[in-house]
Amino acid sequence: KNKSKKMVEIKDGIVNEEDFHSEGNVKILWILKEANVSPEDIDKVRNLCEEFREGGHQKNALSVPTFRKMIYTSYWILHPEMEWSDIPYANEDECYSVVNKIAYINVNKLPASNVSDDKKLAQVFDENKDVLLEQIKSIDPEVIIFGNTGKFFIDNMESIGWDVSSENKNDDDPNAHYFVTPNKGIAINAYHPAYSRLKDKDYCYSIVEKFKLYKTIQN
């Protein structure tokens, strides 16, 4: 008999509380779409934070574009003075360990395939809006990076104290919509890190550039 598998929510959030809240850390939150899970793993209990913390994604940190660009971008934000060419490889301890300093959440907490359907995601967002906004609020980040998920959140952020009404747009660069909320931080509306038309360096740079800009406004 074929027993249909019950899908279990995948836990996400702050990877390592202590590192995230450590002094001088820039609290970065990535908001992505959903986890790509192979069918045979659908009923596994998974905790993304634990997986990252324990080095579970280190060996595929280079081969999975989502993790690779997430790691490079986060590392660069924490070392903004560095040149791209000096950043260690994403699977090296020095670079990979940046995952301990970030938070990472998905809109859809249930296992999904590698193709995201935005209509379905919009529905998932509507059903779980309050929980997701509450999650962002409790993480209390300084930098929010939307991986092609901004469209779901932007109109709802005010309820948790993020004023995203003053959008800075640059029509030449669709990766460049960002919002600065005084005393709170910056929200960047970026492509999904798996977006293949942007080289790693260009993807990361366009986000780090917004961050540097925001820092100069802050000072």
Side-chain angles (χ1 to χ4, degrees):
K1 280 205 289 277
N2 185 4
K3 221 172 69 193
S4 86
K5 296 188 168 183
K6 184 180 178 321
M7 293 203 282
V8 197
E9 274 202 4
I10 298 172
K11 284 207 162 31
D12 56 22
I14 294 172
V15 173
N16 185 325
E17 294 278 349
E18 201 180 331
D19 286 0
F20 190 74
H21 294 293
S22 63
E23 207 180 326
N25 185 40
V26 178
K27 297 193 290 181
I28 303 167
L29 166 64
W30 287 83
I31 303 182
L32 300 182
K33 294 182 173 184
E34 50 197 359
N36 173 8
V37 177
S38 57
E40 64 272 18
D41 290 344
I42 269 180
D43 53 353
K44 264 199 192 137
V45 177
R46 290 186 59 192
N47 179 332
L48 286 171
C49 302
E50 210 168 86
E51 288 173 19
F52 274 119
R53 243 192 344 260
E54 291 168 3
H57 295 289
Q58 188 161 359
K59 66 174 190 307
N60 61 8
L62 279 182
S63 56
V64 179
T66 299
F67 296 155
R68 189 176 69 233
K69 290 184 200 159
M70 212 163 96
I71 291 167
Y72 283 147
T73 305
S74 305
Y75 186 86
W76 210 356
I77 285 174
L78 293 180
H79 305 88
E81 71 296 334
M82 281 180 93
E83 294 293 329
W84 171 255
S85 51
D86 296 330
I87 294 174
Y89 284 111
N91 58 354
E92 290 177 23
D93 292 352
E94 161 63 25
C95 197
Y96 179 81
S97 62
V98 78
V99 297
N100 288 302
K101 299 187 163 181
I102 66 169
Y104 167 42
I105 69 174
N106 282 315
V107 172
N108 178 15
K109 309 290 187 202
L110 293 172
S113 70
N114 59 349
V115 181
S116 290
D117 171 356
D118 277 358
K119 269 207 201 70
K120 206 181 105 195
L121 267 180
Q123 204 179 334
V124 170
F125 175 80
D126 282 340
E127 287 163 17
N128 302 296
K129 190 161 62 183
D130 297 343
V131 175
L132 286 163
L133 291 166
E134 197 46 55
Q135 195 179 16
I136 297 172
K137 193 177 168 183
S138 69
I139 289 170
D140 191 25
E142 182 181 359
V143 179
I144 296 176
I145 303 167
F146 292 111
N148 195 14
T149 50
K151 53 192 164 207
F152 308 123
F153 289 89
I154 296 304
D155 296 337
N156 297 282
M157 294 293 283
E158 216 160 324
S159 65
I160 53 168
W162 281 79
D163 174 15
V164 289
S165 53
S166 54
E167 179 178 16
N168 297 280
K169 264 192 182 150
N170 168 353
D171 291 326
D172 304 334
D173 178 5
N175 210 22
H177 301 189
Y178 63 99
F179 314 81
V180 174
T181 302
N183 307 324
K184 204 124 182 100
I186 177 172
I188 301 165
N189 213 352
Y191 282 116
H192 192 282
Y195 180 70
S196 58
R197 290 207 190 121
L198 274 181
K199 290 197 185 100
D200 288 13
K201 177 185 178 178
D202 298 338
Y203 180 85
C204 303
Y205 182 71
S206 69
I207 295 174
V208 173
E209 204 186 18
K210 308 296 169 302
F211 172 72
K212 287 178 167 178
L213 214 67
Y214 150 75
K215 283 318 255 186
T216 54
I217 302 167
Q218 291 306 95
N219 294 335

